[in-house]
Amino acid sequence: MANWLVTVNYDEFDLEKAFEELSEVYWSNHSKNEDAGFQIDDIVYIYVTQPISKVMYKFKVIGQSDNFFPTAQRKYWANKDDIDSYTGNFSVFEKICKVEKNTLSRTFFLQESFIKKSDTLQGRRTDRGKGPNDPIKLLLDHISRQFAVEIIETDYPDEANLENKSFPEGAKQTVQVNRYERNPEARAKCIEIYGTRCYVCTMSFEFTYGTFARDFIHVHHKKALHQIAESYEVNPETDLIPVCPNCHAMLHKNNDGIPIDIEKLKSFFKAALNDSRRYNFDN
């Protein structure tokens, strides 16, 4: 098994939407040399170009497809002629996870001397056949560690499924936050404007848990989905706000059947600060 670093152009292929909607992604093989191409069980990390400039996606190679490309996947390409004119074969990628961390950004790679300033991370590179001190091997080892440490997206755990009378070990239910909250460009702009401290309870993950938690925060979309028209474009400054996972869960919880807003939740939080029971495990 080998690890790969592959680039996707932000303007050419909508990987965010493809990752959200598809269980498998077909990726073109530009090499006919089996040793130089993707092989079954290889792990593929994907770097998204500007304005994201981060490695954000992890896939596993699960198959090969000779001259077959699902028609449904054409819609994610900005230029349909590019994929229609391709005559090679494809590798089938199974999605594993998506993360967003500054330690996976091109800026961080430069700061830590994983890459040179001239390296725009275009193309493909693999650690197959590379020695332990090879620069590509060191970069891919770093990327692999970052995905191993945190595979949390912008989802949060919900209550146990009370309608299910059996509770298999390890079972869980998750609530997906809407796609506006997961949009990496809008999310990054929101954090640039407001920072990473929770807007409701003021918690900072970095100052609560240490530097390893730096930059971790959820982003909440303030508008209800039923209020959004098809032509809607998210405004990171007015529509999004950084919140911790606890406050995020409460913002998706109704108060007597009425969706709660941020200011109301802030008032609830401030009122509860004087309740001694919040610090007492006996209650």
Side-chain angles (χ1 to χ4, degrees):
M1 184 193 80
N3 292 313
W4 290 79
L5 178 60
V6 175
T7 302
V8 64
N9 191 305
Y10 179 84
D11 295 320
E12 293 179 2
F13 183 69
D14 191 350
L15 182 56
E16 179 199 355
K17 194 170 184 180
F19 189 88
E20 179 181 334
E21 297 179 352
L22 301 174
S23 60
E24 299 173 352
V25 173
Y26 282 60
W27 210 270
S28 60
N29 288 324
H30 291 290
S31 175
K32 295 182 180 179
N33 183 343
E34 184 176 339
D35 291 333
F38 302 124
Q39 297 181 17
I40 303 297
D41 291 333
D42 281 355
I43 297 298
V44 181
Y45 300 99
I46 298 185
Y47 170 80
V48 184
T49 61
Q50 292 182 330
I52 305 302
S53 302
K54 289 180 180 178
V55 179
M56 293 185 65
Y57 299 91
K58 180 179 180 180
F59 289 87
K60 180 179 180 180
V61 181
I62 61 170
Q64 304 291 335
S65 175
D66 293 333
N67 301 317
F68 170 77
F69 183 76
T71 303
Q73 295 199 20
R74 292 177 74 255
K75 70 176 184 178
Y76 304 104
W77 287 83
N79 187 346
K80 307 293 190 292
D81 292 338
D82 286 348
I83 196 65
D84 291 341
S85 62
Y86 177 71
T87 59
N89 58 4
F90 297 87
S91 288
V92 183
F93 291 178
E94 178 185 52
K95 63 182 182 182
I96 297 179
C97 64
K98 169 188 171 185
V99 302
E100 184 177 352
K101 302 176 72 174
N102 282 348
T103 49
L104 289 167
S105 68
R106 181 174 178 272
T107 299
F108 183 87
F109 296 162
L110 286 169
Q111 291 174 348
E112 299 300 313
S113 299
F114 283 117
I115 61 174
K116 296 180 180 179
K117 190 174 182 179
S118 59
D119 190 346
T120 58
L121 293 175
Q122 295 295 317
R124 306 179 181 192
R125 56 199 77 184
T126 180
D127 61 8
R128 180 173 285 122
K130 302 292 192 300
N133 296 319
D134 185 278
I136 294 176
K137 171 70 172 172
L138 294 175
L139 173 60
L140 280 163
D141 282 350
H142 166 76
I143 293 171
S144 178
R145 286 194 299 270
Q146 295 306 302
F147 274 83
V149 167
E150 180 183 358
I151 59 172
I152 300 172
E153 302 184 34
T154 52
D155 304 335
Y156 55 86
D158 195 10
E159 299 174 286
N161 182 359
L162 299 181
E163 295 180 358
N164 187 348
K165 296 190 181 343
S166 63
F167 297 90
E169 184 178 355
K172 69 175 183 177
Q173 181 181 6
T174 60
V175 175
Q176 285 275 17
V177 296
N178 72 54
R179 72 185 307 266
Y180 301 106
E181 299 172 38
R182 298 197 304 274
N183 181 297
E185 185 177 3
R187 172 183 162 82
K189 186 63 177 178
C190 170
I191 292 174
E192 178 184 329
I193 295 170
Y194 295 106
T196 57
R197 190 179 287 275
C198 177
Y199 190 80
V200 175
C201 70
T202 74
M203 175 196 180
S204 163
F205 277 88
E206 177 183 4
F207 300 135
T208 301
Y209 298 107
T211 55
F212 94 97
R214 179 185 298 162
D215 300 324
F216 180 81
I217 196 70
H218 282 197
V219 167
H220 174 65
H221 187 263
K222 294 190 280 187
K223 290 188 179 181
L225 289 182
H226 70 269
Q227 298 175 341
I228 297 174
E230 289 186 7
S231 59
Y232 169 78
E233 280 190 33
V234 65
N235 183 325
E237 185 171 5
T238 59
D239 296 339
L240 303 178
I241 203 73
V243 290
C244 72
N246 281 354
C247 292
H248 199 181
M250 293 300 99
L251 286 167
H252 282 270
K253 180 179 176 65
N254 288 341
N255 177 36
D256 293 330
I258 301 173
I260 194 167
D261 62 31
I262 288 178
E263 295 307 319
K264 176 64 72 173
L265 186 63
K266 285 177 73 173
S267 70
F268 286 167
F269 176 81
K270 289 179 180 178
L273 282 174
N274 296 324
D275 191 333
S276 62
R277 292 174 298 175
R278 65 184 283 123
Y279 306 107
N280 191 339
F281 283 102
D282 294 332
N283 293 311

